[in-house]
Amino acid sequence: MDVARVRKDFPILARPQHGKPLVYLDSAATSQKPSSVLAAETGYYESANANVRRGVYALSVAATDAYEAARARVARFLHASAPEEVIFLRGTTEAINLVATSLGRGRLKPGDHVVTTVMEHHSNIVPWHFLRTYQGVHLDFVDIDDEGRLRMDGLEALLAKRPKVVTVTHVSNVLGTVNPVREIAERAHAVGALVVVDAAQSAPHRPIDVQQLGADFVAFSGHKTLGPMGIGALWGRHDLLDELPPYLGGGEMIRDVHQDRISYCEVPAKFEAGTPNVGGAIALSAALDYLEGIGWGELAAHERRLQEHALRVAEERFPGQLRIYGPPRAADREAVLAFSLQGAHPHDIASLLDEDGVCVRAGHHCAQPLMERLGVTALTRASPYLYNSTEELDLMFDSLERVARLFGRGRAS
Ligand SMILES: Cc1ncc(COP(=O)(O)O)c(C=O)c1O
């Protein structure tokens, strides 16, 4: 992959930070956007903007057609069997809230078990906690091993309680662990559980095949996948989406409303109350076009190189000082590098790196149960993406060396 050429497609990367070149290594929080995505969103507002589904005039029909074409594009990316299985929402958080709330209203009873894992982002914990708090559902957590892999024996033990739902992240936003979703789904289905997959950190890096994953619901966010903020999608099995009660109520999701009764639209409209983010959906489909244009194989090879480089340089330049969390081999991990540097607080690290133009994230990464499991309160996380180079990772390590010196624990050499 020609990184220099790719970088030209991302106007923001030319913006300096503190007078230095911008080294953007926070793509797991949100990715930058290529010009084609920006143009798709602007183009929609310049030439096709009208509210969808409700107008009889040509402009509204054009907007509706463009919106539905975006749905078909996302369905193709996810390998969904039909566009109606794709619900446009604000992102992963809203998608998982929808699934948890609708299952809570339609299927779960007090005393039922829901299984999640200690490596989840809060958006795949808190909606289930709501069911625990307000509906008496039990919430069980699968543990990880010392290399940050899911304990499949732990999953097996929890499946013995015959949970109604197993919900798991495809890729951890802290450890980079890639979970064996298909195997998890098979085991969960064998005990009658529904399977929910948080694909927020996998969708930016690999095509998602919902048939192959074997799950019942899969959620992802557009803004981490080169698309704009405020748009994402939930894929759900058609029969389940048909069966489940709606999440938000309002315009465009109802068939009839009377004083004493209501009936709902078919999916996907049933789950899309109110005015949707049409421009966002169109721009998301442009983002998927861009990623496919790069080629998933090319992208994976580039990202593997970045991971291998980072793991090797960290070992060479910070022996015994810098600890990277998650599976030790680049082949077993994706997307993120969360680390601790001896003697330095993650927030100090991130602030000092910022002075050198390097953007990394510090904190609990919306994964407090995982931080507790790892015995830390915070970590620093670098998350490179297609527009990052090994040279930029070296700049980060140069900056980290300055941090290590400042905290009095520079290299022994
Ligand atoms: C694994 C994972 N799940 C869910 C989310 C939430 O995504 P969003 O804020 O786009 O809804 C994130 C965001 O960082 C994430 O990393």
Side-chain angles (χ1 to χ4, degrees):
M1 212 182 76
D2 184 349
V3 180
R5 194 188 55 73
V6 167
R7 288 178 69 82
K8 292 207 176 83
D9 295 334
F10 292 79
I12 201 170
L13 298 179
R15 168 199 190 278
Q17 177 153 285
H18 305 304
K20 307 205 167 122
L22 179 72
V23 178
Y24 186 76
L25 292 172
D26 198 18
S27 293
T30 197
S31 67
Q32 297 302 348
K33 326 296 175 199
S35 304
S36 60
V37 167
L38 305 176
E41 182 142 16
T42 310
Y44 163 72
Y45 285 110
E46 282 175 353
S47 66
N49 178 49
N51 214 325
V52 289
R53 293 189 185 133
R54 41 192 103 178
V56 287
Y57 52 91
L59 192 63
S60 172
V61 172
T64 306
D65 287 350
Y67 182 56
E68 293 307 324
R71 190 189 310 281
R73 178 68 186 87
V74 173
R76 188 151 60 77
F77 166 65
L78 295 171
H79 297 82
S81 11
E84 303 80 68
E85 292 180 341
V86 173
I87 319 279
F88 278 125
L89 298 160
R90 281 192 296 140
T92 309
T93 303
E94 193 177 18
I96 297 174
N97 272 277
L98 183 161
V99 175
T101 307
S102 294
L103 286 174
R105 287 174 184 163
R107 279 222 175 183
L108 300 178
K109 295 186 298 303
D112 282 345
H113 286 262
V114 169
V115 171
T116 185
T117 87
V118 293
M119 70 164 83
E120 302 306 310
H121 186 280
H122 291 164
S123 61
N124 200 19
I125 296 177
V126 180
W128 307 104
H129 251 299
F130 289 167
L131 296 183
R132 194 187 66 87
T133 310
Y134 302 116
Q135 287 180 236
V137 164
H138 297 291
L139 187 54
D140 304 316
F141 289 79
V142 184
D143 198 8
I144 51 171
D145 66 19
D146 290 341
E147 292 192 340
R149 290 193 192 79
L150 214 56
R151 291 271 307 262
M152 295 302 274
D153 56 340
L155 172 69
E156 210 53 54
L158 292 175
L159 290 180
K161 297 185 185 179
R162 305 193 79 77
K164 291 288 182 348
V165 180
V166 172
T167 185
V168 63
T169 193
H170 194 180
V171 171
S172 158
N173 66 314
V174 176
L175 304 164
T177 312
V178 184
N179 284 318
V181 169
R182 190 184 173 86
E183 187 187 341
I184 293 168
E186 278 168 6
R187 292 198 197 186
H189 284 154
V191 300
L194 292 173
V195 177
V196 183
V197 175
D198 172 350
Q201 294 296 347
S202 55
H205 306 284
R206 49 172 73 199
I208 303 295
D209 185 336
V210 295
Q211 315 297 339
Q212 204 277 332
L213 288 178
D216 300 294
F217 298 98
V218 176
F220 80 100
S221 298
H223 71 97
K224 297 183 196 289
T225 313
L226 304 185
M229 292 183 175
I231 189 73
L234 171 71
W235 168 84
R237 249 177 49 205
H238 210 299
D239 56 325
L240 285 169
L241 293 174
D242 275 345
E243 175 206 311
L244 288 180
Y247 170 53
L248 296 180
E252 300 307 309
M253 53 75 73
I254 47 80
R255 182 169 293 140
D256 281 306
V257 182
H258 304 277
Q259 288 198 8
D260 59 349
R261 65 189 186 282
I262 44 176
S263 61
Y264 310 119
C265 294
E266 302 287 312
V267 291
K270 181 170 90 174
F271 291 106
E272 291 185 359
T275 300
N277 183 355
V278 178
I282 290 166
L284 172 57
S285 96
L288 298 176
D289 287 347
Y290 184 90
L291 278 169
E292 252 175 44
I294 294 287
W296 294 107
E298 287 276 296
L299 178 62
H302 172 67
E303 295 193 308
R304 173 74 64 84
R305 267 196 302 279
L306 293 178
Q307 285 270 345
E308 279 166 356
H309 183 81
L311 294 175
R312 183 171 50 72
V313 174
E315 187 59 39
E316 282 169 11
R317 290 178 66 174
F318 301 87
Q321 268 190 295
L322 189 145
R323 175 168 174 204
I324 294 181
Y325 288 78
R329 282 176 356 113
D332 299 333
R333 50 187 300 143
E334 196 151 78
V336 295
L337 288 152
F339 58 87
S340 56
L341 181 67
Q342 214 174 43
H345 191 280
H347 283 111
D348 293 331
I349 298 174
S351 301
L352 289 163
L353 262 58
D354 172 57
E355 290 175 5
D356 290 334
V358 179
C359 310
V360 293
R361 180 151 178 214
H364 55 59
H365 307 284
C366 300
Q368 280 184 333
L370 178 60
M371 296 296 119
E372 280 170 5
R373 171 62 181 84
L374 298 173
V376 297
T377 50
L379 291 172
T380 311
R381 182 186 72 186
S383 49
Y385 201 11
L386 74 169
Y387 34 67
N388 293 118
S389 62
T390 50
E391 290 77 17
E392 286 185 297
L393 290 175
D394 290 342
L395 285 173
M396 176 187 78
F397 285 119
D398 291 346
S399 190
L400 273 173
E401 225 164 57
R402 187 170 74 87
V403 176
R405 275 198 302 275
L406 260 172
F407 285 89
R409 291 171 198 256
R411 290 169 66 202
S413 58

